[in-house]
Amino acid sequence: MDDWLKKGRIGLKPGDHLYFIGIGGARLSALAKIFQESGYKVSGSDRTPSKNTMELEAKGVQVYYGHQRERITDDIDLVVYTNAVGDQNPELLEAKKQQLPIFEGAELLGKLMKKKGMGIAVAGTHGKTSTTAMISLLLIKGGKDPTIEVGGEMKELPGNHRTGKSPYIVVEACEFRRSFLFLSPKVEVITNVDWDHPDCFPTADDVVRTFKDFISLLPSEGKLVIWRDDPHYQELAAASKAPVRTFGWSEQADWYCSEITTVPPMGIKGKLYREGEYVGELILQVPGKHNLLNALAAVATVSELGVPIEDCLSYISEFTGVRRRFEVKGQADGVVVVDDYAHHPAAVKTTLATVRNHFPGRVWCIFQPHLYSRTKYLLPKFSQAFQDSDILVLADIYAAREKNPGDISSKTLANEVKKYHKDVRYIGDMEKIKDYLLTETRLGDLVITMGAGDIFKVGEEFLRAKGKNN
Protein backbone atom coordinates (compact mmCIF):
# COMPACT_ATOMS: atom_id res chain seq x y z
CA MET A 1 0.00 0.00 0.00
CA ASP A 2 1.78 3.09 -1.23
CA ASP A 3 0.60 6.68 -0.88
CA TRP A 4 -2.79 5.71 -2.34
CA LEU A 5 -5.43 6.49 0.25
CA LYS A 6 -6.58 10.01 -0.48
CA LYS A 7 -8.86 12.19 1.63
CA GLY A 8 -8.91 15.79 0.49
CA ARG A 9 -5.27 16.73 0.00
CA ILE A 10 -4.07 14.07 2.45
CA GLY A 11 -2.29 11.01 1.14
CA LEU A 12 -1.74 8.10 3.50
CA LYS A 13 1.13 5.65 3.45
CA PRO A 14 2.45 2.86 5.69
CA GLY A 15 3.61 4.30 8.99
CA ASP A 16 0.76 6.81 9.19
CA HIS A 17 -1.68 6.71 12.12
CA LEU A 18 -5.26 5.46 11.70
CA TYR A 19 -7.66 5.86 14.65
CA PHE A 20 -10.79 3.65 14.67
CA ILE A 21 -13.91 4.70 16.59
CA GLY A 22 -15.80 1.50 17.39
CA ILE A 23 -12.74 -0.63 16.77
CA GLY A 24 -14.31 -3.74 18.33
CA GLY A 25 -17.01 -4.06 15.67
CA ALA A 26 -16.89 -6.80 13.07
CA ARG A 27 -15.86 -4.62 10.11
CA LEU A 28 -13.61 -2.15 11.92
CA SER A 29 -11.72 -4.80 13.88
CA ALA A 30 -10.95 -6.64 10.62
CA LEU A 31 -9.87 -3.44 8.89
CA ALA A 32 -7.71 -2.44 11.86
CA LYS A 33 -5.87 -5.77 11.69
CA ILE A 34 -5.42 -5.59 7.93
CA PHE A 35 -3.96 -2.07 8.08
CA GLN A 36 -1.72 -2.86 11.03
CA GLU A 37 -0.37 -5.90 9.20
CA SER A 38 0.19 -3.66 6.16
CA GLY A 39 2.52 -1.34 8.08
CA TYR A 40 0.20 1.38 9.42
CA LYS A 41 0.04 2.56 13.02
CA VAL A 42 -3.40 1.65 14.39
CA SER A 43 -5.25 2.63 17.57
CA GLY A 44 -8.89 3.09 18.50
CA SER A 45 -11.69 3.00 21.02
CA ASP A 46 -14.82 1.07 21.92
CA ARG A 47 -17.44 1.10 24.65
CA THR A 48 -16.36 -2.08 26.43
CA PRO A 49 -13.80 -4.89 26.11
CA SER A 50 -14.69 -7.75 23.77
CA LYS A 51 -13.05 -10.70 22.09
CA ASN A 52 -12.21 -8.50 19.11
CA THR A 53 -10.62 -5.73 21.21
CA MET A 54 -8.61 -8.24 23.21
CA GLU A 55 -7.29 -9.77 19.97
CA LEU A 56 -6.30 -6.30 18.79
CA GLU A 57 -4.52 -5.56 22.07
CA ALA A 58 -2.65 -8.85 21.79
CA LYS A 59 -1.39 -7.67 18.39
CA GLY A 60 -0.07 -4.46 19.96
CA VAL A 61 -2.93 -2.14 19.01
CA GLN A 62 -3.72 0.55 21.61
CA VAL A 63 -7.42 0.23 22.48
CA TYR A 64 -9.18 2.76 24.73
CA TYR A 65 -12.47 2.03 26.48
CA GLY A 66 -15.12 4.71 26.47
CA HIS A 67 -15.16 7.58 23.99
CA GLN A 68 -13.42 10.82 24.97
CA ARG A 69 -12.67 13.92 22.90
CA GLU A 70 -9.07 14.22 24.13
CA ARG A 71 -8.15 10.94 22.41
CA ILE A 72 -8.32 12.73 19.04
CA THR A 73 -4.83 14.19 18.85
CA ASP A 74 -2.92 15.98 16.10
CA ASP A 75 -0.72 12.96 15.32
CA ILE A 76 -3.72 11.11 13.80
CA ASP A 77 -3.68 11.01 10.00
CA LEU A 78 -7.12 9.45 9.44
CA VAL A 79 -10.15 8.78 11.66
CA VAL A 80 -12.27 5.75 10.79
CA TYR A 81 -15.68 5.22 12.39
CA THR A 82 -18.65 2.88 12.24
CA ASN A 83 -22.20 4.16 11.78
CA ALA A 84 -23.10 2.19 14.90
CA VAL A 85 -21.43 4.81 17.16
CA GLY A 86 -23.91 7.50 16.11
CA ASP A 87 -23.50 11.06 14.83
CA GLN A 88 -23.02 12.52 18.31
CA ASN A 89 -20.05 10.40 19.33
CA PRO A 90 -17.65 12.79 21.12
CA GLU A 91 -14.55 11.51 19.32
CA LEU A 92 -16.24 11.81 15.94
CA LEU A 93 -17.39 15.34 16.76
CA GLU A 94 -13.85 16.28 17.83
CA ALA A 95 -12.37 14.85 14.63
CA LYS A 96 -14.79 16.99 12.62
CA LYS A 97 -13.95 20.01 14.73
CA GLN A 98 -10.24 19.51 14.02
CA GLN A 99 -11.06 18.96 10.32
CA LEU A 100 -9.22 15.65 10.29
CA PRO A 101 -9.75 13.31 7.35
CA ILE A 102 -12.65 10.97 8.25
CA PHE A 103 -13.89 7.75 6.64
CA GLU A 104 -16.81 5.54 7.58
CA GLY A 105 -15.60 1.93 7.70
CA ALA A 106 -17.30 0.92 4.45
CA GLU A 107 -15.75 3.94 2.71
CA LEU A 108 -12.27 2.85 3.79
CA LEU A 109 -13.03 -0.72 2.72
CA GLY A 110 -14.15 0.53 -0.68
CA LYS A 111 -10.85 2.40 -1.13
CA LEU A 112 -8.95 -0.74 -0.19
CA MET A 113 -10.97 -2.80 -2.70
CA LYS A 114 -10.23 -0.32 -5.45
CA LYS A 115 -6.51 -0.41 -4.64
CA LYS A 116 -6.43 -4.21 -4.62
CA GLY A 117 -8.19 -4.42 -7.96
CA MET A 118 -10.29 -7.60 -7.74
CA GLY A 119 -12.98 -6.98 -5.13
CA ILE A 120 -15.58 -9.66 -4.44
CA ALA A 121 -18.51 -8.32 -2.41
CA VAL A 122 -21.06 -10.71 -0.90
CA ALA A 123 -24.42 -9.14 -0.07
CA GLY A 124 -27.87 -10.37 0.91
CA THR A 125 -30.30 -10.33 3.80
CA HIS A 126 -29.47 -13.92 4.80
CA GLY A 127 -26.40 -16.10 4.35
CA LYS A 128 -23.81 -13.48 3.43
CA THR A 129 -21.40 -14.30 6.28
CA SER A 130 -21.38 -18.04 5.53
CA THR A 131 -21.12 -17.42 1.78
CA THR A 132 -18.26 -14.95 2.28
CA ALA A 133 -16.50 -17.55 4.42
CA MET A 134 -17.02 -20.29 1.82
CA ILE A 135 -15.70 -18.13 -1.02
CA SER A 136 -12.73 -17.17 1.15
CA LEU A 137 -11.92 -20.81 1.90
CA LEU A 138 -12.06 -21.77 -1.79
CA LEU A 139 -9.78 -18.89 -2.79
CA ILE A 140 -7.29 -19.66 -0.02
CA LYS A 141 -7.20 -23.37 -0.88
CA GLY A 142 -7.09 -22.48 -4.58
CA GLY A 143 -3.86 -20.51 -4.09
CA LYS A 144 -5.32 -17.04 -4.77
CA ASP A 145 -3.92 -15.48 -1.55
CA PRO A 146 -6.92 -13.18 -0.89
CA THR A 147 -7.36 -10.39 1.62
CA ILE A 148 -10.56 -11.07 3.58
CA GLU A 149 -13.03 -9.09 5.70
CA VAL A 150 -15.86 -11.24 7.06
CA GLY A 151 -18.51 -10.58 9.70
CA GLY A 152 -17.97 -13.86 11.53
CA GLU A 153 -15.07 -15.99 12.66
CA MET A 154 -13.75 -18.67 10.31
CA LYS A 155 -11.70 -21.51 11.71
CA GLU A 156 -9.37 -21.15 8.72
CA LEU A 157 -8.57 -17.52 9.59
CA PRO A 158 -7.08 -15.66 12.54
CA GLY A 159 -10.55 -14.43 13.51
CA ASN A 160 -12.44 -12.33 10.97
CA HIS A 161 -9.75 -11.24 8.54
CA ARG A 162 -6.84 -12.21 6.35
CA THR A 163 -4.16 -9.97 4.84
CA GLY A 164 -3.17 -11.31 1.43
CA LYS A 165 -0.79 -10.03 -1.22
CA SER A 166 -2.80 -10.73 -4.36
CA PRO A 167 -5.35 -8.42 -6.04
CA TYR A 168 -8.20 -10.54 -4.62
CA ILE A 169 -10.17 -9.11 -1.70
CA VAL A 170 -13.36 -10.73 -0.38
CA VAL A 171 -15.70 -8.63 1.75
CA GLU A 172 -19.05 -9.05 3.43
CA ALA A 173 -21.22 -6.23 2.09
CA CYS A 174 -23.92 -4.95 4.44
CA GLU A 175 -26.91 -2.92 3.25
CA PHE A 176 -27.45 -1.26 6.66
CA ARG A 177 -27.58 2.52 6.11
CA ARG A 178 -26.68 1.76 2.49
CA SER A 179 -23.06 1.39 3.52
CA PHE A 180 -22.27 -1.14 0.78
CA LEU A 181 -22.66 1.65 -1.78
CA PHE A 182 -19.17 2.82 -0.74
CA LEU A 183 -17.60 -0.42 -2.01
CA SER A 184 -15.73 -0.98 -5.28
CA PRO A 185 -16.52 -4.53 -6.38
CA LYS A 186 -15.63 -6.30 -9.61
CA VAL A 187 -17.74 -9.31 -8.60
CA GLU A 188 -20.96 -9.19 -6.62
CA VAL A 189 -22.73 -12.14 -5.04
CA ILE A 190 -26.37 -11.58 -4.01
CA THR A 191 -27.64 -14.42 -1.81
CA ASN A 192 -31.21 -13.07 -1.46
CA VAL A 193 -33.12 -9.84 -0.85
CA ASP A 194 -35.60 -9.65 2.02
CA TRP A 195 -37.00 -6.81 4.15
CA ASP A 196 -34.83 -6.11 7.18
CA HIS A 197 -33.50 -3.03 9.00
CA PRO A 198 -36.91 -1.32 9.07
CA ASP A 199 -35.26 1.55 10.94
CA CYS A 200 -33.39 2.31 7.67
CA PHE A 201 -35.79 0.94 5.05
CA PRO A 202 -39.45 1.78 5.73
CA THR A 203 -40.68 -0.65 3.05
CA ALA A 204 -39.49 -3.76 1.24
CA ASP A 205 -39.34 -1.71 -1.98
CA ASP A 206 -36.73 0.53 -0.36
CA VAL A 207 -34.54 -2.52 0.22
CA VAL A 208 -34.88 -3.69 -3.39
CA ARG A 209 -34.04 -0.21 -4.71
CA THR A 210 -30.91 -0.11 -2.55
CA PHE A 211 -29.75 -3.49 -3.84
CA LYS A 212 -30.33 -2.29 -7.41
CA ASP A 213 -28.13 0.72 -6.63
CA PHE A 214 -25.49 -1.68 -5.29
CA ILE A 215 -25.64 -3.84 -8.41
CA SER A 216 -25.26 -0.75 -10.60
CA LEU A 217 -21.78 -0.25 -9.07
CA LEU A 218 -20.49 -3.19 -11.11
CA PRO A 219 -18.38 -2.29 -14.15
CA SER A 220 -19.30 -3.86 -17.48
CA GLU A 221 -16.27 -6.15 -17.24
CA GLY A 222 -17.38 -7.39 -13.81
CA LYS A 223 -19.79 -10.17 -12.89
CA LEU A 224 -23.02 -10.56 -10.92
CA VAL A 225 -23.72 -13.93 -9.26
CA ILE A 226 -27.31 -14.04 -8.01
CA TRP A 227 -29.96 -16.42 -6.66
CA ARG A 228 -32.20 -17.28 -9.61
CA ASP A 229 -35.21 -18.05 -7.42
CA ASP A 230 -35.28 -14.72 -5.61
CA PRO A 231 -38.71 -13.05 -6.07
CA HIS A 232 -36.92 -9.88 -7.18
CA TYR A 233 -34.48 -11.62 -9.53
CA GLN A 234 -35.67 -10.06 -12.79
CA GLU A 235 -35.44 -6.42 -11.70
CA LEU A 236 -32.18 -7.01 -9.80
CA ALA A 237 -30.51 -8.69 -12.78
CA ALA A 238 -31.73 -5.90 -15.07
CA ALA A 239 -29.79 -3.37 -12.97
CA SER A 240 -26.46 -5.01 -13.87
CA LYS A 241 -24.18 -3.69 -16.61
CA ALA A 242 -22.04 -6.81 -16.07
CA PRO A 243 -22.76 -10.38 -17.18
CA VAL A 244 -25.08 -12.29 -14.83
CA ARG A 245 -24.56 -15.85 -13.55
CA THR A 246 -27.28 -17.55 -11.54
CA PHE A 247 -27.53 -20.30 -8.94
CA GLY A 248 -30.51 -22.04 -7.38
CA TRP A 249 -32.68 -25.14 -7.32
CA SER A 250 -34.36 -24.89 -10.72
CA GLU A 251 -32.90 -25.95 -14.05
CA GLN A 252 -33.30 -22.35 -15.23
CA ALA A 253 -30.25 -21.45 -13.11
CA ASP A 254 -26.75 -21.62 -14.58
CA TRP A 255 -25.69 -23.58 -11.49
CA TYR A 256 -28.22 -25.78 -9.71
CA CYS A 257 -28.48 -28.75 -7.36
CA SER A 258 -30.88 -31.68 -7.41
CA GLU A 259 -31.39 -34.97 -5.53
CA ILE A 260 -30.62 -33.34 -2.19
CA THR A 261 -30.13 -35.63 0.80
CA THR A 262 -28.72 -35.38 4.31
CA VAL A 263 -25.25 -36.71 5.17
CA PRO A 264 -24.72 -38.09 8.70
CA PRO A 265 -24.10 -36.73 11.22
CA MET A 266 -25.04 -33.14 10.27
CA GLY A 267 -24.21 -32.64 6.59
CA ILE A 268 -26.08 -32.31 3.32
CA LYS A 269 -25.32 -33.01 -0.34
CA GLY A 270 -26.74 -32.64 -3.83
CA LYS A 271 -25.87 -33.35 -7.44
CA LEU A 272 -24.34 -30.22 -9.00
CA TYR A 273 -25.07 -29.09 -12.55
CA ARG A 274 -23.54 -26.27 -14.57
CA GLU A 275 -25.63 -25.19 -17.57
CA GLY A 276 -27.39 -28.54 -17.46
CA GLU A 277 -24.23 -30.65 -17.34
CA TYR A 278 -23.54 -32.77 -14.26
CA VAL A 279 -20.18 -31.78 -12.74
CA GLY A 280 -20.07 -33.69 -9.43
CA GLU A 281 -21.49 -33.96 -5.93
CA LEU A 282 -21.63 -30.91 -3.71
CA ILE A 283 -21.10 -32.27 -0.19
CA LEU A 284 -21.11 -30.24 3.04
CA GLN A 285 -20.36 -31.06 6.66
CA VAL A 286 -22.74 -28.31 7.81
CA PRO A 287 -26.53 -28.78 7.76
CA GLY A 288 -29.41 -27.27 5.85
CA LYS A 289 -30.53 -26.48 2.31
CA HIS A 290 -29.72 -22.83 3.02
CA ASN A 291 -26.06 -23.77 3.45
CA LEU A 292 -26.15 -25.84 0.27
CA LEU A 293 -27.47 -22.73 -1.50
CA ASN A 294 -24.62 -20.68 0.01
CA ALA A 295 -22.15 -23.29 -1.22
CA LEU A 296 -23.69 -23.17 -4.70
CA ALA A 297 -23.05 -19.43 -4.78
CA ALA A 298 -19.48 -19.91 -3.58
CA VAL A 299 -18.60 -22.64 -6.08
CA ALA A 300 -20.20 -20.69 -8.94
CA THR A 301 -18.24 -17.57 -8.01
CA VAL A 302 -14.82 -19.12 -7.45
CA SER A 303 -14.93 -21.42 -10.47
CA GLU A 304 -15.60 -18.29 -12.56
CA LEU A 305 -12.38 -16.89 -11.06
CA GLY A 306 -10.29 -19.76 -12.33
CA VAL A 307 -10.29 -22.43 -9.61
CA PRO A 308 -11.25 -25.78 -11.21
CA ILE A 309 -14.69 -27.12 -10.29
CA GLU A 310 -13.32 -30.41 -9.01
CA ASP A 311 -11.00 -28.50 -6.66
CA CYS A 312 -13.87 -26.30 -5.47
CA LEU A 313 -15.95 -29.37 -4.65
CA SER A 314 -13.07 -30.91 -2.73
CA TYR A 315 -12.34 -27.73 -0.76
CA ILE A 316 -15.98 -26.96 0.08
CA SER A 317 -16.35 -30.40 1.66
CA GLU A 318 -13.78 -29.26 4.26
CA PHE A 319 -15.88 -26.25 5.32
CA THR A 320 -16.87 -26.58 8.98
CA GLY A 321 -18.88 -23.41 9.43
CA VAL A 322 -18.58 -19.97 10.98
CA ARG A 323 -18.79 -19.12 14.64
CA ARG A 324 -22.39 -18.44 15.73
CA ARG A 325 -23.80 -20.09 12.58
CA PHE A 326 -25.27 -23.37 13.86
CA GLU A 327 -22.27 -23.72 16.14
CA VAL A 328 -22.39 -26.81 18.35
CA LYS A 329 -21.23 -25.55 21.75
CA GLY A 330 -21.19 -28.91 23.51
CA GLN A 331 -23.35 -31.31 25.47
CA ALA A 332 -23.98 -32.06 29.11
CA ASP A 333 -26.02 -34.87 30.70
CA GLY A 334 -27.37 -35.78 27.28
CA VAL A 335 -28.46 -32.23 26.36
CA VAL A 336 -26.92 -30.82 23.16
CA VAL A 337 -26.35 -27.05 23.07
CA VAL A 338 -26.18 -25.18 19.75
CA ASP A 339 -25.88 -21.45 19.06
CA ASP A 340 -27.06 -19.59 15.97
CA TYR A 341 -27.02 -15.95 14.87
CA ALA A 342 -30.50 -16.06 13.32
CA HIS A 343 -32.40 -12.88 14.21
CA HIS A 344 -34.70 -12.32 11.22
CA PRO A 345 -37.92 -14.40 11.06
CA ALA A 346 -36.94 -16.00 7.75
CA ALA A 347 -33.57 -17.09 9.17
CA VAL A 348 -35.19 -18.31 12.39
CA LYS A 349 -37.69 -20.40 10.45
CA THR A 350 -35.01 -21.87 8.17
CA THR A 351 -32.67 -22.72 11.04
CA LEU A 352 -35.37 -24.41 13.12
CA ALA A 353 -36.52 -26.41 10.08
CA THR A 354 -32.92 -27.59 9.69
CA VAL A 355 -32.80 -28.61 13.36
CA ARG A 356 -36.05 -30.54 13.01
CA ASN A 357 -34.74 -32.30 9.92
CA HIS A 358 -31.60 -33.52 11.69
CA PHE A 359 -32.59 -33.92 15.33
CA PRO A 360 -35.24 -36.39 16.56
CA GLY A 361 -35.49 -35.19 20.18
CA ARG A 362 -37.19 -32.31 21.94
CA VAL A 363 -36.04 -28.88 20.67
CA TRP A 364 -35.80 -25.84 22.96
CA CYS A 365 -35.42 -22.51 21.14
CA ILE A 366 -34.05 -19.76 23.37
CA PHE A 367 -34.65 -16.59 21.37
CA GLN A 368 -33.43 -13.07 22.07
CA PRO A 369 -35.09 -10.53 19.75
CA HIS A 370 -32.60 -8.07 18.27
CA LEU A 371 -33.69 -4.41 18.07
CA TYR A 372 -37.06 -2.95 19.04
CA SER A 373 -37.69 -1.76 15.47
CA ARG A 374 -37.11 -5.17 13.90
CA THR A 375 -39.31 -6.90 16.49
CA LYS A 376 -42.12 -4.37 15.99
CA TYR A 377 -42.23 -4.17 12.21
CA LEU A 378 -41.63 -7.87 11.56
CA LEU A 379 -43.91 -9.05 14.39
CA PRO A 380 -46.41 -10.83 12.08
CA LYS A 381 -43.60 -12.86 10.52
CA PHE A 382 -41.94 -13.55 13.87
CA SER A 383 -45.23 -14.88 15.24
CA GLN A 384 -45.13 -17.81 12.80
CA ALA A 385 -41.37 -18.47 12.72
CA PHE A 386 -40.99 -20.87 15.66
CA GLN A 387 -43.25 -23.83 14.84
CA ASP A 388 -40.37 -26.27 14.42
CA SER A 389 -39.36 -25.87 18.07
CA ASP A 390 -41.12 -27.82 20.80
CA ILE A 391 -40.58 -25.15 23.44
CA LEU A 392 -39.87 -21.47 22.85
CA VAL A 393 -38.28 -19.41 25.62
CA LEU A 394 -38.05 -15.66 25.07
CA ALA A 395 -35.39 -13.37 26.51
CA ASP A 396 -35.82 -9.62 26.65
CA ILE A 397 -35.09 -7.60 23.51
CA TYR A 398 -31.42 -6.82 22.86
CA ALA A 399 -31.50 -3.06 22.28
CA ALA A 400 -28.08 -2.63 20.62
CA ARG A 401 -28.09 0.89 19.16
CA GLU A 402 -31.75 1.65 19.96
CA LYS A 403 -33.65 3.17 22.88
CA ASN A 404 -36.79 1.49 24.23
CA PRO A 405 -39.79 3.14 22.51
CA GLY A 406 -42.17 1.63 25.08
CA ASP A 407 -44.56 0.05 22.57
CA ILE A 408 -42.89 -3.33 21.92
CA SER A 409 -41.42 -6.03 24.16
CA SER A 410 -40.73 -9.75 24.32
CA LYS A 411 -44.01 -10.12 26.21
CA THR A 412 -45.77 -8.69 23.16
CA LEU A 413 -43.93 -11.14 20.97
CA ALA A 414 -44.83 -14.04 23.29
CA ASN A 415 -48.53 -13.19 23.06
CA GLU A 416 -48.39 -13.13 19.26
CA VAL A 417 -46.43 -16.38 18.95
CA LYS A 418 -48.90 -18.15 21.26
CA LYS A 419 -51.48 -17.84 18.50
CA TYR A 420 -49.44 -20.34 16.45
CA HIS A 421 -47.24 -22.20 18.95
CA LYS A 422 -48.39 -24.47 21.77
CA ASP A 423 -45.57 -23.83 24.26
CA VAL A 424 -44.19 -20.30 24.61
CA ARG A 425 -42.51 -19.18 27.82
CA TYR A 426 -41.43 -15.60 28.42
CA ILE A 427 -38.73 -15.44 31.11
CA GLY A 428 -36.76 -12.36 30.07
CA ASP A 429 -33.64 -12.39 32.24
CA MET A 430 -30.81 -14.53 30.88
CA GLU A 431 -29.62 -15.75 34.28
CA LYS A 432 -33.16 -16.92 35.04
CA ILE A 433 -33.36 -18.64 31.65
CA LYS A 434 -30.14 -20.53 32.39
CA ASP A 435 -31.44 -21.63 35.80
CA TYR A 436 -34.74 -22.68 34.22
CA LEU A 437 -32.96 -24.83 31.65
CA LEU A 438 -30.90 -26.50 34.37
CA THR A 439 -34.08 -27.74 36.04
CA GLU A 440 -36.33 -28.39 33.02
CA THR A 441 -34.16 -29.95 30.29
CA ARG A 442 -33.74 -33.69 30.10
CA LEU A 443 -31.74 -36.40 28.36
CA GLY A 444 -32.19 -36.22 24.58
CA ASP A 445 -33.05 -32.51 24.40
CA LEU A 446 -31.44 -29.95 22.11
CA VAL A 447 -31.14 -26.34 23.25
CA ILE A 448 -30.53 -23.77 20.51
CA THR A 449 -29.83 -20.18 21.51
CA MET A 450 -30.76 -17.74 18.75
CA GLY A 451 -30.20 -14.04 18.16
CA ALA A 452 -27.63 -11.44 17.14
CA GLY A 453 -27.04 -10.18 20.69
CA ASP A 454 -25.43 -11.97 23.63
CA ILE A 455 -27.89 -14.85 24.05
CA PHE A 456 -25.06 -17.32 23.36
CA LYS A 457 -23.97 -16.74 26.95
CA VAL A 458 -27.00 -18.69 28.18
CA GLY A 459 -25.81 -21.86 26.47
CA GLU A 460 -22.24 -21.37 27.63
CA GLU A 461 -23.31 -20.76 31.24
CA PHE A 462 -25.64 -23.76 31.11
CA LEU A 463 -22.76 -26.01 30.05
CA ARG A 464 -20.46 -24.45 32.62
CA ALA A 465 -23.01 -25.03 35.39
CA LYS A 466 -23.31 -28.65 34.31
CA GLY A 467 -19.54 -28.93 34.55
CA LYS A 468 -19.23 -30.32 31.05
CA ASN A 469 -18.49 -29.01 27.57
CA ASN A 470 -17.61 -31.83 25.25
Side-chain angles (χ1 to χ4, degrees):
M1 297 183 192
D2 302 314
D3 183 5
W4 59 274
L5 191 60
K6 302 288 186 181
K7 184 70 174 179
R9 288 182 290 176
I10 302 294
L12 294 179
K13 59 189 181 304
D16 286 344
H17 184 185
L18 279 63
Y19 186 90
F20 290 76
I21 306 173
I23 197 168
R27 170 168 290 161
L28 259 59
S29 62
L31 279 169
K33 294 169 191 171
I34 289 169
F35 275 87
Q36 192 213 34
E37 290 169 1
S38 301
Y40 289 80
K41 178 183 177 182
V42 171
S43 64
S45 63
D46 215 311
R47 288 183 302 170
T48 57
S50 65
K51 188 174 185 293
N52 283 340
T53 62
M54 288 186 283
E55 286 179 357
L56 287 161
E57 289 178 300
K59 292 174 68 66
V61 174
Q62 175 69 64
V63 179
Y64 302 98
Y65 295 103
H67 300 293
Q68 299 179 21
R69 291 176 180 271
E70 55 267 27
R71 304 251 177 78
I72 307 302
T73 55
D74 58 9
D75 71 319
I76 294 172
D77 297 294
L78 177 70
V79 172
V80 187
Y81 73 101
T82 168
N83 279 321
V85 302
D87 295 337
Q88 298 305 305
N89 179 277
E91 294 179 347
L92 183 58
L93 291 172
E94 182 63 23
K96 291 178 179 178
K97 180 181 176 182
Q98 294 189 30
Q99 298 184 320
L100 291 174
I102 301 171
F103 278 145
E104 201 279 327
E107 192 176 2
L108 177 61
L109 186 58
K111 298 289 186 182
L112 179 59
M113 292 177 75
K114 191 171 183 179
K115 164 66 177 175
K116 284 285 187 178
M118 182 51 75
I120 303 156
V122 183
T125 311
H126 317 295
K128 57 181 171 286
T129 300
S130 293
T131 305
T132 305
M134 289 176 176
I135 290 171
S136 299
L137 174 67
L138 298 185
L139 289 174
I140 293 168
K141 293 281 188 178
K144 299 295 186 181
D145 191 23
T147 296
I148 297 165
E149 178 273 326
V150 62
E153 293 183 25
M154 287 176 62
K155 292 172 183 166
E156 295 81 9
L157 298 181
N160 58 356
H161 86 294
R162 183 180 191 272
T163 305
K165 295 180 180 178
S166 78
Y168 291 94
I169 176 169
V170 187
V171 307
E172 182 174 336
C174 183
E175 74 275 18
F176 178 62
R177 294 192 178 178
R178 298 167 61 91
S179 66
F180 61 6
L181 299 184
F182 283 117
L183 303 181
S184 301
K186 288 289 182 65
V187 177
E188 288 183 2
V189 182
I190 310 291
T191 58
N192 46 67
V193 176
D194 199 353
W195 186 32
D196 195 10
H197 302 299
D199 51 334
C200 300
F201 306 111
T203 69
D205 287 342
D206 291 322
V207 179
V208 175
R209 278 194 292 270
T210 299
F211 271 86
K212 288 167 67 176
D213 290 343
F214 176 61
I215 290 168
S216 70
L217 298 177
L218 280 170
S220 58
E221 69 274 16
K223 191 155 293 183
L224 174 65
V225 181
I226 187 170
W227 183 33
R228 181 64 177 79
D229 306 312
D230 192 286
H232 309 288
Y233 162 72
Q234 294 291 350
E235 58 180 314
L236 292 170
S240 177
K241 301 185 291 288
V244 179
R245 299 290 281 170
T246 61
F247 63 94
W249 305 127
S250 70
E251 294 183 7
Q252 291 178 299
D254 298 315
W255 295 80
Y256 66 90
C257 264
S258 66
E259 299 180 48
I260 299 163
T261 56
T262 57
V263 178
M266 294 292 287
I268 191 167
K269 69 177 180 179
K271 293 188 179 298
L272 177 63
Y273 294 82
R274 182 184 63 179
E275 296 177 349
E277 179 185 355
Y278 174 70
V279 293
E281 276 200 313
L282 180 55
I283 303 172
L284 295 179
Q285 297 182 44
V286 292
K289 284 185 70 176
H290 60 294
N291 272 319
L292 200 63
L293 199 61
N294 296 337
L296 258 174
V299 170
T301 301
V302 177
S303 66
E304 298 276 345
L305 295 174
V307 178
I309 296 174
E310 58 271 22
D311 290 345
C312 288
L313 293 176
S314 174
Y315 302 147
I316 203 71
S317 69
E318 301 174 23
F319 182 75
T320 54
V322 181
R323 183 176 173 269
R324 299 222 61 207
R325 273 67 177 181
F326 207 87
E327 180 184 7
V328 179
K329 306 292 287 192
Q331 59 178 302
D333 295 341
V335 178
V336 177
V337 177
V338 177
D339 178 59
D340 195 88
Y341 194 70
H343 55 282
H344 184 283
V348 169
K349 195 174 184 69
T350 297
T351 302
L352 288 175
T354 299
V355 174
R356 180 59 67 203
N357 193 39
H358 284 268
F359 189 77
R362 193 169 61 155
V363 176
W364 292 71
C365 177
I366 317 301
F367 183 67
Q368 181 188 51
H370 187 261
L371 299 177
Y372 296 105
S373 59
R374 180 181 285 118
T375 308
K376 178 179 179 178
Y377 290 105
L378 301 184
L379 188 62
K381 291 186 177 181
F382 271 122
S383 68
Q384 300 185 57
F386 299 94
Q387 282 94 325
D388 279 317
S389 64
D390 295 292
I391 303 162
L392 172 64
V393 176
L394 289 173
D396 287 324
I397 294 172
Y398 187 85
R401 58 186 176 267
E402 294 183 338
K403 293 182 179 179
N404 188 347
D407 60 353
I408 188 69
S409 70
S410 288
K411 289 182 181 179
T412 310
L413 176 58
N415 290 333
E416 289 300 309
V417 178
K418 283 177 181 176
K419 297 176 182 178
Y420 306 96
H421 196 291
K422 65 182 184 300
D423 195 342
V424 182
R425 311 176 190 185
Y426 165 72
I427 297 177
D429 180 75
M430 295 205 301
E431 181 71 17
K432 291 180 180 178
I433 293 173
K434 181 261 294 182
D435 291 340
Y436 188 78
L437 291 174
L438 288 171
T439 60
E440 297 297 321
T441 53
R442 64 181 185 232
L443 178 71
D445 285 354
L446 181 142
V447 172
I448 180 165
T449 54
M450 299 182 75
D454 57 357
I455 193 64
F456 62 90
K457 294 177 181 177
V458 169
E460 293 176 351
E461 290 299 320
F462 171 84
L463 290 169
R464 192 170 292 118
K466 288 280 191 180
K468 297 181 182 179
N469 190 0
N470 49 52

